[in-house]
Amino acid sequence: GAGVSQSPRYKVAKRGQDVALRCDPISGHVSLFWYQQALGQGPEFLTYFQNEAQLDKSGLPSDRFFAERPEGSVSTLKIQRTQQEDSAVYLCASSLVLAGESTTYNEQFFGPGTRLTVL
Amino acid sequence: QQPVQSPQAVILREGEDAVINCSSSKALYSVHWYRQKHGEAPVFLMILLKGGEQKGHDKISASFNEKKQQSSLYLTASQLSYSGTYFCGTEWGAAGNKLTFGGGTRVLVKP
């Protein structure tokens, strides 16, 4: 029942390799967010899904980054041809709230993150 | 536009108080406060939606000014468990949108 889970927790990739990071949101949460957190910094937005629809991908740093959520639950963030600057913690968050809803309960629940190190 | 957090770091003795500020150049829809311990997920503390709102969680409370451009987090009678990095996450426009986080405030509470 728990919270948001992410796998793997740690990933080491050689420069140029492709990686896939998985996020299992809380059951029933319609909104899913991906953030990138560099060491010592706050999380930065990458992309947002409402169910299976990717409504905002304005934060993806390049076309090497791709995210999907085909059935509206599990999401995968894929990074192609990884570069050293991709090294960071990738956080996934889910929320009950649909974009535009007016409510106090739009808390985003975060997973533990995947720490990606590109050598 | 990233909100500005201050101070960047604070060291407290157990039982002391601290204030963390989060400022925006334009009016916000809401402010979310999180605490993150090293290697762990950010943990939600509270949301403020309305100008002039004040909210509390245990001995941690927060306020949102009338113009909705500044929020402050108050750590009262700090405990060792309060150590971590505090982030404000801001929303513009409407609920359910992405959060834009400040740079964080590192808090260390010593015995």
Side-chain angles (χ1 to χ4, degrees):
Chain A
V4 179
S5 61
Q6 292 185 247
S7 61
R9 290 294 314 278
Y10 303 91
K11 178 69 179 176
V12 178
K14 291 183 179 177
R15 191 160 54 97
Q17 280 186 331
D18 297 348
V19 298
L21 313 180
R22 177 187 168 107
C23 172
D24 281 86
I26 293 172
S27 178
H29 278 197
V30 296
S31 294
L32 186 146
F33 302 81
W34 283 99
Y35 294 87
Q36 180 189 61
Q37 186 174 27
L39 189 63
Q41 303 294 317
E44 290 193 10
F45 171 77
L46 293 176
T47 188
Y48 161 63
F49 289 87
Q50 185 171 300
N51 294 307
E52 69 277 5
Q54 189 174 19
L55 297 186
D56 187 347
K57 52 182 181 179
S58 62
L60 295 176
S62 78
D63 59 8
R64 296 185 295 103
F65 287 70
F66 172 75
E68 60 183 5
R69 193 185 185 199
E71 297 178 0
S73 55
V74 170
S75 177
T76 304
L77 176 67
K78 298 179 180 178
I79 309 173
Q80 297 176 325
R81 304 182 303 282
T82 52
Q83 304 294 315
Q84 285 188 323
E85 61 262 28
D86 300 336
S87 295
V89 174
Y90 290 86
L91 294 166
C92 174
S94 70
S95 170
L96 264 175
V97 173
L98 296 174
E101 281 188 339
S102 178
T103 174
T104 57
Y105 299 106
N106 59 330
E107 170 186 356
Q108 291 187 22
F109 294 85
F110 281 82
T114 294
R115 181 176 295 278
L116 173 65
T117 303
V118 182
L119 303 177
Chain B
Q1 215 166 1
Q2 186 181 31
V4 177
Q5 270 188 251
S6 63
Q8 288 186 323
V10 60
I11 299 175
L12 301 166
R13 291 285 180 192
E14 217 175 345
E16 292 181 339
D17 302 340
V19 180
I20 301 169
N21 296 306
C22 176
S23 297
S24 169
S25 59
K26 59 179 183 177
L28 302 165
Y29 177 81
S30 69
V31 174
H32 301 219
W33 284 98
Y34 287 84
R35 177 173 62 215
Q36 185 178 32
K37 294 184 183 280
H38 184 69
E40 298 180 9
V43 174
F44 172 79
L45 296 176
M46 64 193 83
I47 294 176
L48 295 107
L49 283 173
K50 301 175 183 176
E53 182 176 9
Q54 296 190 25
K55 190 176 277 191
H57 170 79
D58 196 6
K59 289 186 178 178
I60 299 175
S61 61
S63 64
F64 203 7
N65 76 344
E66 289 290 344
K67 290 186 176 181
K68 300 183 70 173
Q69 287 182 263
Q70 178 162 323
S71 178
S72 296
L73 187 73
Y74 306 94
L75 307 181
T76 305
S78 57
Q79 306 169 15
L80 297 177
S81 61
Y82 288 3
S83 292
T85 302
Y86 291 77
F87 293 101
C88 65
T90 54
E91 276 184 305
W92 280 280
N97 290 320
K98 63 188 178 187
L99 294 177
T100 303
F101 286 91
T105 298
R106 296 181 68 176
V107 173
L108 175 62
V109 181
K110 293 184 173 182

